[in-house]
Every structure is written in C-alpha cells, then in structure tokens.
Amino acid sequence: MKRGQLMAVPALGWLALFFAVPLMIVVVISFLGRTPYGQLLFYFTVENYRRFFEPLYLNILFSTFGTAVAVTFITFLLGYPLAYAIARARRGWQKTGLLLVMIPFWINFLIRSYAWVIILRSQGVVNSLLLSAGLIESPLPLLYNDGAVLLGLVYAMIPFMVLPAYVSIEQLDQRLLEAASDLGASPLRSFFKITLPLTLPGIAAGSILVFISTLGMFVIPDIMGGAKSPLIGNLIQNQFLSARNWPFGSALSILLAFLSMLLIFLYYRALGIRKGGGLL
C-alpha cells in the first residue's frame, strides 16, 4: 500500500465508524416495526415508507421544499451583491466585510434565534419603536408565522451564499473586464456577459449549501414559527423525541437524504457540471 493510501486510512476509518455505520443502522431501523409504546419489533416492513406518501406528510414535504427554494433565492438576491461589494473593496475592507459575515458563526445558534424572538415579539424592539412613534395602535404579529421562519432561515443561511460567491468573484480574471471595457461594453453588459456567467460555480455551491441546510432545519421553525410552520426536519425530530416512532423517523430521514441527493444530481446536470469539470 502506498504512503498516500496509508495516510487516508484514519480518515476512512473515521467516516466508516461515524457516518457509514450510523447510516446503515438508520436504514435497518426504517424497515422495522414498533409497539404502541415505541419498542422496536424486528420484522421487515415497508409500511414506514408507504406512510410517507399520505397527504399530510406530502404537504409538509412540499412546504419544506418551497421554503428551501424561497430561502435559496432570497439569500442569492441579498448575498451575491454583498459578496460582489466585498470582493471589489480594498484589501483592508475585504477583511472587515468577511469578518462581519463570519461573526454570526461564532455566536451560539440558539442565542441568535432567541435574539430574533426578542426583536419581533409583541413587546419586542420593533413593535415598541413603532408604538412609541405612533405608527401603529396595536402590536404587529411579527412572530410565529411563515414570514418569521423565512426571515430566521435567510439570516442563518446567508453566509453560506456569500462566502462561495465571494471566492468565485475574487478569483475572476480582471483582464476580461478590462478587455470588454476596451471593446466598448458598458459595466452592466460586462457584468451580465462576463462576471455573472463566470461566477456561476460560486452561486451553484452557495445555492446547494443553503438549500440542503434548509431542508434539515428544525430549530428556527420551532422557535420562530411555533407549531404553525412545521418543516420536514420538525417532523423527523417529533418522531424520534415525542412520538417515539423511530422506524417512521428513520424512513423520513432516508427519503429526505435520497431526495436531496437526487436534486443535487439534477441541479448539476442542469448546469452542465461534470466531475472534474472545474466548476466546483
């Protein structure tokens, strides 16, 4: 065995122990039965997968995908211009901009979510300011609805869009833009003909990170949406912790993982991205 292969053994062992083995356990549990009190029954059944296609769970799945698409689109609209501004700023300002984007990662996720609760609740910062200014007569319902969940998800996911887009824009060959300018192209035309197409790899990477992360999110819908905006992540959490239905929760997890991989494959095919093609 070559030295490089030997060096990869610890990493492969780590992946096998903490990823492949737990995944196989989840797959096995998804085909088991359960008693009314949650104990596993060791016989083979596909009932857990059939149950997933009931209208109730399909509606939650479609709602989750709709939310993930909306979050991905909004983070692109907000994150790409921010990444562009940071990449085109002076070197010192670039470091400051990246630092500001990274700071939320250094704060506990629950603290950030509850901070939004303090800001948006009936007696929160926003309603208090609007009431004090006389702009409203009663507090606005800013929390525990779909809009609050969308706001929290966009806030949490926007760094995943900004950082890949920044890297792609920062590595763009400036000589192409100078050549376009010399040939009479306007800045707007250069952007749509050169900058945007050549930074698609960063946009694709950011979109995939945001979309997949949003699919499995359950903390923000719990805290900012209450029980009014359940996503598939909340359903899986409920099956494992409250309903004690591990086989159905495992089946949901496997189906969600399969759908995610299928969407990623279709997304790459749609963009014409191939392995080793250099786009990612």
Side-chain angles (χ1 to χ4, degrees):
M1 185 177 291
K2 296 180 180 178
R3 183 179 179 184
Q5 294 174 327
L6 282 174
M7 293 178 66
V9 169
L12 293 175
W14 179 275
L15 285 175
L17 184 60
F18 294 104
F19 177 73
V21 173
L23 180 62
M24 290 308 299
I25 292 175
V26 172
V27 171
V28 171
I29 292 177
S30 69
F31 288 105
L32 299 181
R34 66 180 284 270
T35 67
Y37 300 102
Q39 286 84 7
L40 296 177
L41 296 175
F42 291 90
Y43 63 85
F44 179 84
T45 178
V46 294
E47 173 62 22
N48 301 309
Y49 288 92
R50 186 205 62 76
R51 186 181 175 191
F52 175 75
F53 293 96
E54 294 177 1
L56 172 64
Y57 304 119
L58 286 179
N59 287 336
I60 294 177
L61 178 68
F62 293 146
S63 174
T64 302
F65 272 73
T67 301
V69 170
V71 171
T72 303
F73 184 66
I74 295 173
T75 52
F76 165 70
L77 291 181
L78 298 176
Y80 189 84
L82 177 59
Y84 188 89
I86 294 174
R88 290 291 175 263
R90 290 183 297 177
R91 186 61 61 180
W93 285 109
Q94 284 187 15
K95 294 179 180 178
T96 303
L98 292 175
L99 179 65
L100 292 175
V101 171
M102 291 296 297
I103 282 178
F105 280 119
W106 302 340
I107 302 174
N108 185 278
F109 195 78
L110 286 176
I111 294 176
R112 284 185 282 153
S113 300
Y114 279 112
W116 275 112
V117 173
I118 295 174
I119 293 172
L120 299 177
R121 64 182 181 178
S122 298
Q123 298 80 27
V125 176
V126 175
N127 275 314
S128 297
L129 288 175
L130 293 175
L131 287 169
S132 300
L135 298 176
I136 57 175
E137 296 180 353
S138 59
L140 298 174
L142 302 176
L143 203 56
Y144 306 127
N145 52 46
D146 291 341
V149 173
L150 197 61
L151 174 64
L153 289 172
V154 169
Y155 167 75
M157 296 299 162
I158 199 166
F160 292 104
M161 179 65 76
V162 172
L163 296 179
Y166 164 79
V167 172
S168 189
I169 296 169
E170 204 273 336
Q171 293 179 345
L172 183 66
D173 191 345
Q174 295 300 310
R175 291 174 298 181
L176 296 174
L177 298 176
E178 293 171 0
S181 178
D182 292 341
L183 293 173
S186 65
L188 189 63
R189 185 176 178 84
S190 297
F191 174 80
F192 283 106
K193 292 293 184 181
I194 298 175
T195 303
L196 191 59
L198 293 181
T199 54
L200 274 180
I203 297 172
S207 298
I208 291 173
L209 286 173
V210 172
F211 188 83
I212 298 302
S213 300
T214 303
L215 285 182
M217 186 65 69
F218 62 90
V219 175
I220 290 176
D222 261 354
I223 295 176
M224 300 183 65
K228 297 178 180 178
S229 304
L231 302 183
I232 195 72
N234 302 97
L235 180 60
I236 294 173
Q237 179 204 30
N238 178 268
Q239 295 303 313
F240 277 103
L241 299 182
S242 301
R244 293 178 59 80
N245 193 345
W246 286 26
F248 185 47
S250 299
L252 290 172
S253 303
I254 296 301
L255 286 170
L256 182 61
F258 174 77
L259 289 173
S260 299
M261 288 188 291
L262 178 63
L263 287 173
I264 292 173
F265 172 76
L266 294 175
Y267 190 78
Y268 274 66
R269 289 295 298 266
L271 288 178
I273 298 174
R274 297 290 186 275
K275 185 178 181 181
L279 281 180
L280 285 177

